[in-house]
């Protein structure tokens, strides 16, 4: 045993990395982590963990709410969620933040912002949204740590006319390749105005804020059908796919992409749909984007007459890199269970999550309302799978996707 330990210590970290990254399963990595301090040091390093997604698909383990809601049988990720039994004990609400009642979740499970101190404050005040960026804590719920970011400097805030702000959106961005050996992170704040788009960027490496502008915003939105561009956002829910942040622009039928490495914007056309249609963007392989839309139809049945029916439409958007990729792929229709209204909850790993709400639910007393069913759609196979039950409707839920907790070093 001593000889084996000596041989192990004789290997460099690079040697161990190349050996360990070839282990067939995440469970094997977890066992190696607890077997030897040297292996654990290598496996929990940031450079090693950055290589994991290229080898292993992270598991979609559950929904982050005030409590953790794991996947349930027969979903294929049940075993992975069960292996992480201590997830239920993780403080995903980040109650360790001081004055917890003044914070609201902004981006998944790790970025919060301060809410208005006066509950009677007009939330439509554009200036309040920029001022709230002075209180942005980045949290690590697993290790119960947080870092309060410095306020955006006044000279940068002054670059935006606060009376023109339509939407102010803070979110976390992946660390750059140059920072792979550290726990560096980036926070981006998108200030969408009626005539311009301003971006504020904070790097934990430098500890400073920087500002830039998307010069093409005014031209991009010039032909918008938005009935109230001074109040209604031009952007949908944010998604992350193929290394870019993505927003559907429903009023001009485009997809806006932001590359966090270059902070450059680009856009592409998408198949038209009603502006109020629920949509989601996913990775479709080979650098392409998958495009989900959710529609409600009325269908005639022989036994029950007219019934509502939700359907998911899926297509792969062209990337323009091949002779046969100038048009969207064939539209695939996925029927959902009858007598339900569905909402898109979000995207996690290679799954889309939807929640079904019985069409007669709100006509029932609260005590008699049924549990709500959540389903996941495997993006690769387009198979619909029952995921779990929830007690309440959940819009834009925060999903927990990750690797085993014993592989997780502190993130801040």
């Amino acid at each position: 045993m001593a000889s084996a330990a000596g041989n192990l210590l004789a290997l460099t970290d690079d040697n161990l990395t190349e050996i360990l990254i070839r282990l067939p399963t995440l469970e094997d990595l977890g066992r190696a982590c607890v077997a030897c301090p040297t292996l654990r040091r290598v496996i929990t390093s940031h450079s090693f963990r950055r290589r994991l997604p290229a080898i292993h698909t992270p598991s979609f383990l559950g929904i982050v709410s005030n409590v953790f809601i794991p996947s349930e049988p027969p979903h294929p990720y049940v075993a992975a969620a069960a292996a992480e039994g201590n997830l239920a004990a993780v403080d995903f609400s980040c109650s360790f933040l001081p004055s917890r009642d003044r914070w609201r979740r902004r981006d998944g499970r790790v970025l919060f912002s301060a809410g208005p101190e006066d509950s009677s404050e007009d939330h439509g005040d554009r200036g309040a949204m920029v001022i709230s960026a002075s209180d942005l804590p980045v949290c690590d719920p697993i290790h119960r740590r947080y870092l309060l970011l410095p306020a955006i400097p006044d000279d940068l805030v002054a670059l935006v006319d606060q009376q023109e702000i339509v939407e102010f959106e803070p979110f976390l961005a992946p660390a750059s390749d140059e920072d792979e050996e550290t726990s560096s992170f980036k926070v981006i704040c998108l200030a969408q105005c009626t005539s311009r788009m301003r971006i504020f960027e904070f790097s934990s490496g430098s500890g400073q804020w920087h500002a830039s502008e998307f010069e093409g915003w005014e031209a991009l939105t010039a032909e918008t059908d938005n009935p109230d561009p001074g109040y209604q956002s031009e952007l949908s829910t944010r998604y992350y796919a193929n290394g870019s942040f993505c927003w559907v622009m429903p009023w001009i039928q485009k997809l806006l992409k932001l590359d966090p490495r270059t902070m450059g914007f680009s856009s592409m056309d998408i198949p038209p749909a009603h502006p109020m249609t629920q949509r989601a963007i996913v990775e479709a392989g080979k650098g392409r984007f998958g495009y989900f839309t959710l529609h409600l139809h009325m269908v005639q049945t022989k036994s029950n007459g007219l019934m509502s029916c939700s359907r998911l439409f899926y297509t792969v958007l062209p990337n323009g890199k091949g002779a046969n990729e100038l048009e969207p792929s064939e539209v695939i229709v996925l029927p959902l269970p009858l007598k339900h209204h569905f909402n898109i909850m979000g995207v996690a790993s290679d799954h889309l999550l939807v929640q079904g709400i019985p069409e007669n639910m709100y006509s029932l007393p609260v005590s008699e309302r049924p549990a709500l069913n959540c389903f996941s759609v495997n993006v690769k196979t387009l198979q619909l799978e029952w995921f779990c039950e929830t007690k309440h409707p959940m819009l834009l839920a925060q999903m927990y996707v990750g690797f085993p907790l014993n592989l997780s070093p502190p993130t801040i």
Side-chain angles (χ1 to χ4, degrees):
M1 180 67 71
S3 176
N7 291 336
L8 178 63
L9 293 174
L11 296 173
T12 67
D13 285 1
D14 287 342
N15 295 146
L16 291 174
T17 294
E18 294 306 318
I19 294 171
L20 293 168
I21 204 69
R22 288 169 170 77
L23 289 176
T25 68
L26 291 173
E27 289 74 15
D28 293 330
L29 283 172
R31 285 188 285 269
C33 240
V34 299
C36 172
T38 300
L39 299 183
R40 176 175 175 78
R41 175 175 54 78
V42 173
I43 293 171
T44 59
S45 69
H46 292 275
S47 58
F48 186 91
R49 285 179 53 77
R50 292 239 165 81
R51 292 184 62 180
L52 278 181
I55 309 296
H56 300 283
T57 300
S59 299
F60 175 20
L61 300 177
I63 301 169
V64 176
S65 182
N66 291 329
V67 295
F68 178 71
I69 305 173
S71 55
E72 299 177 14
H75 197 273
Y77 280 154
V78 167
E84 293 299 333
N86 52 348
L87 276 174
V90 174
D91 186 3
F92 286 113
S93 67
C94 296
S95 61
F96 49 85
L97 283 170
S99 305
R100 177 62 187 86
D101 57 346
R102 67 187 287 243
W103 308 104
R104 59 183 177 181
R105 193 184 304 275
R106 293 305 300 255
D107 185 8
R109 57 191 174 90
V110 288
L111 180 64
F112 286 71
S113 70
E117 294 185 2
D118 181 2
S119 60
S120 64
E121 182 177 349
D122 179 9
H123 291 195
D125 178 20
R126 309 305 184 206
M129 289 188 282
V130 169
I131 294 171
S132 71
S134 65
D135 290 313
L136 282 172
V138 176
C139 301
D140 179 349
I142 295 174
H143 298 90
R144 297 181 62 83
R145 300 183 180 187
Y146 74 93
L147 177 67
L148 188 62
L149 305 190
I152 298 177
D154 290 342
D155 61 326
L156 298 186
V157 173
L159 296 174
V160 176
D161 183 345
Q162 297 187 21
Q163 299 305 313
E164 289 190 1
I165 295 177
V166 178
E167 186 74 26
F168 186 78
E169 183 182 12
F171 52 95
L172 275 167
S176 65
D177 294 338
E178 292 78 8
D179 295 328
E180 69 175 8
E181 294 297 336
T182 71
S183 57
S184 297
F185 60 87
K186 182 188 294 184
V187 172
I188 300 172
C189 296
L190 213 64
Q192 179 193 157
C193 303
T194 52
S195 60
R196 62 176 54 191
M197 175 82 79
R198 182 73 68 175
I199 306 100
F200 300 98
E201 174 190 355
F202 175 84
S203 169
S204 64
S206 66
Q208 296 180 339
W209 286 95
H210 299 277
S212 60
E213 185 171 356
F214 174 27
E215 301 289 350
W217 178 251
E218 186 173 10
L220 184 64
T221 58
E223 302 299 327
T224 181
D225 291 328
N226 190 338
D228 191 358
Y231 183 80
Q232 177 107 4
S233 175
E234 294 283 353
L235 304 180
S236 71
T237 303
R238 183 185 70 258
Y239 292 96
Y240 185 78
N242 297 322
S244 295
F245 291 101
C246 308
W247 296 263
V248 170
M249 302 185 69
W251 302 102
I252 60 173
Q253 309 298 337
K254 288 186 179 292
L255 181 67
L256 181 67
K257 298 176 289 182
L258 170 64
D259 186 335
R261 295 161 296 185
T262 64
M263 298 304 294
F265 284 93
S266 61
S267 64
M268 60 187 295
D269 293 331
I270 56 175
H274 189 279
M276 295 296 106
T277 300
Q278 295 186 53
R279 321 185 204 200
I281 302 297
V282 298
E283 294 185 4
K286 300 180 180 180
R288 298 173 300 173
F289 294 89
Y291 177 60
F292 280 101
T293 57
L294 180 63
H295 300 264
L296 183 65
H297 296 266
M298 301 304 294
V299 295
Q300 185 73 40
T301 65
K302 293 181 179 180
S303 57
N304 297 311
L306 203 61
M307 297 177 61
S308 61
C309 173
S310 292
R311 291 176 179 170
L312 272 173
F313 290 74
Y314 177 71
T315 187
V316 176
L317 301 179
N319 59 19
K321 295 181 179 179
N324 297 321
E325 296 183 22
L326 299 178
E327 299 292 338
S329 68
E330 178 184 359
V331 176
I332 300 173
V333 183
L334 290 79
L336 297 170
L338 295 174
K339 296 186 177 181
H340 286 75
H341 297 283
F342 279 83
N343 290 317
I344 291 178
M345 300 175 70
V347 174
S349 185
D350 52 1
H351 284 73
L352 174 80
L353 193 67
V354 297
Q355 183 182 51
I357 301 174
E359 59 184 12
N360 64 340
M361 187 183 80
Y362 294 108
S363 65
L364 300 173
V366 174
S367 60
E368 298 179 15
R369 291 178 183 175
L372 307 182
N373 293 310
C374 298
F375 300 87
S376 68
V377 178
N378 188 311
V379 174
K380 295 178 180 178
T381 65
L382 296 182
Q383 294 298 308
L384 184 71
E385 300 160 326
W386 188 76
F387 187 80
C388 70
E389 287 185 347
T390 62
K391 295 181 179 179
H392 307 289
M394 300 177 69
L395 290 174
L396 305 179
Q398 294 130 15
M399 269 69 81
Y400 183 88
V401 179
F403 298 106
L405 294 186
N406 59 5
L407 274 63
S408 300
T411 55
I412 55 173

